[in-house]
Amino acid sequence: MRTHPSPHSPTTRAAHCPRPVPGAALRLFLFHHAGGSHLLYRDWVRHFPADWEVHLLDAPGRGRLSHLPACPDVESLVDFFRDEIVLAMDRPFAFFGHSMGGLAAYELTNRLAAEGLPEPVWLGLSARGAPRLHGEPENRHAMPDDELRRHLAAMGGTPPEVLADEDVWQLLSPMIRNDLRLVETWRPRPGTPPLRVPLSVFGGTEDVVVPPSRLTAWERHARRFLGLHLFEGDHFYFRDRTPEMVGLVSEGIRAALAARTGAGAR
């Protein structure tokens, strides 16, 4: 059951499109991490091919969607994103998600497949571990404030001044805890088939949340596993690597499109 209003009005749209492209060859949807927003990708857009239209997604409860209630679970988050993406299926599209965004992109891909709707031509998952039967063992959303702040500092994604400022922390911590709870209470559905779409995986060697072994395990969950791209760094390994990351994402999408065209010609 959906818990959010339809995202068809400007005040409830999930996607921010900084560079509309009439007649775009492809639409790329980017999903952000827990506690984050579309601003994670604000510097990425200009590096993608000019004929691709890039959509930066926001989960409810933050930024321009702060007037909407936060999603309590992955299913309602997928509901929210699905309502908008089904309106953009008139051309090829692809998904890339980081951390919580990777989980949302993975589950949305499964949802589209289960409903018989078009699926993305390519899926990129960043710093998101492969599904485990009993879900995530962490309970970070219930940590005391000081412990959670230390954990976030070790992850590397939250500016130190945010973690040190008590007023800012009190403002942001409910959203952060909600997103972490959303991720940590998710369980994979028994019998979920392997992904049919080409899958590329990305991560950092020093990630305290998702070690490389959790990333390589994705190979068992995809029919076409295009490989793991591992970088030196923490959970936010791609800082200062925008051109390189965009290049790899673009390369993966192009390879998937070429394979799709070749299969269609046979």
Side-chain angles (χ1 to χ4, degrees):
M1 180 180 296
R2 293 193 175 100
T3 58
H4 296 280
S6 169
H8 298 174
S9 71
T11 60
T12 56
R13 290 188 70 91
H16 170 64
C17 182
R19 189 187 69 186
V21 181
L26 176 127
R27 291 192 176 106
L28 173 61
F29 295 89
L30 305 180
F31 300 74
H32 65 75
H33 60 295
S37 74
H38 76 273
L39 296 177
L40 177 69
Y41 302 112
R42 61 186 171 185
D43 297 327
W44 288 36
V45 178
R46 62 189 177 90
H47 295 281
F48 282 109
D51 61 347
W52 290 9
E53 188 172 81
V54 183
H55 293 252
L56 313 182
L57 296 174
D58 273 321
R62 70 212 68 218
R64 60 197 177 80
L65 300 183
S66 59
H67 61 291
L68 298 179
C71 293
D73 50 46
V74 173
E75 183 178 4
S76 58
L77 181 60
V78 169
D79 283 342
F80 184 75
F81 289 146
R82 175 202 174 280
D83 280 349
E84 183 153 324
I85 286 170
V86 293
L87 302 176
M89 292 179 169
D90 59 329
R91 66 200 65 237
F93 63 96
F95 293 161
F96 176 90
H98 177 68
S99 197
M100 179 185 80
L103 176 57
Y106 168 69
E107 279 290 79
L108 180 54
T109 301
N110 286 331
R111 172 79 67 83
L112 297 177
E115 294 180 358
L117 292 170
E119 297 172 55
V121 299
W122 175 87
L123 174 62
L125 302 180
S126 167
R128 172 63 207 174
R132 293 190 285 199
L133 180 61
H134 302 294
E136 302 300 316
E138 295 87 358
N139 202 29
R140 295 168 293 166
H141 70 275
M143 287 179 174
D145 274 359
D146 288 346
E147 186 178 354
L148 179 55
R149 282 193 266 199
R150 286 194 296 271
H151 177 78
L152 293 173
M155 287 176 66
T158 309
E161 58 270 21
V162 170
L163 297 174
D165 188 309
E166 190 63 31
D167 291 336
V168 175
W169 171 253
Q170 292 304 321
L171 181 66
L172 295 179
S173 62
M175 179 182 67
I176 293 172
R177 289 185 184 279
N178 178 84
D179 288 355
L180 292 175
R181 182 175 61 251
L182 178 151
V183 171
E184 292 164 1
T185 57
W186 174 80
R187 299 292 183 270
R189 293 180 185 84
T192 300
L195 292 162
R196 296 186 297 195
V197 306
L199 172 67
S200 298
V201 178
F202 306 80
T205 56
E206 307 303 320
D207 191 336
V208 298
V209 179
V210 187
S213 60
R214 290 287 313 280
L215 300 173
T216 57
W218 275 109
E219 187 170 6
R220 301 194 298 271
H221 298 271
R223 295 181 185 177
R224 290 192 56 207
F225 184 66
L226 301 183
L228 168 63
H229 301 277
L230 205 57
F231 300 84
E232 290 185 8
D234 56 26
H235 196 67
F236 292 85
Y237 62 89
F238 50 71
R239 287 189 306 271
D240 304 320
R241 288 192 174 107
T242 295
E244 184 178 5
M245 276 300 298
V246 170
L248 288 171
V249 170
S250 301
E251 180 182 301
I253 294 172
R254 287 194 181 102
L257 285 170
R260 186 181 185 213
T261 301
R266 288 196 292 272

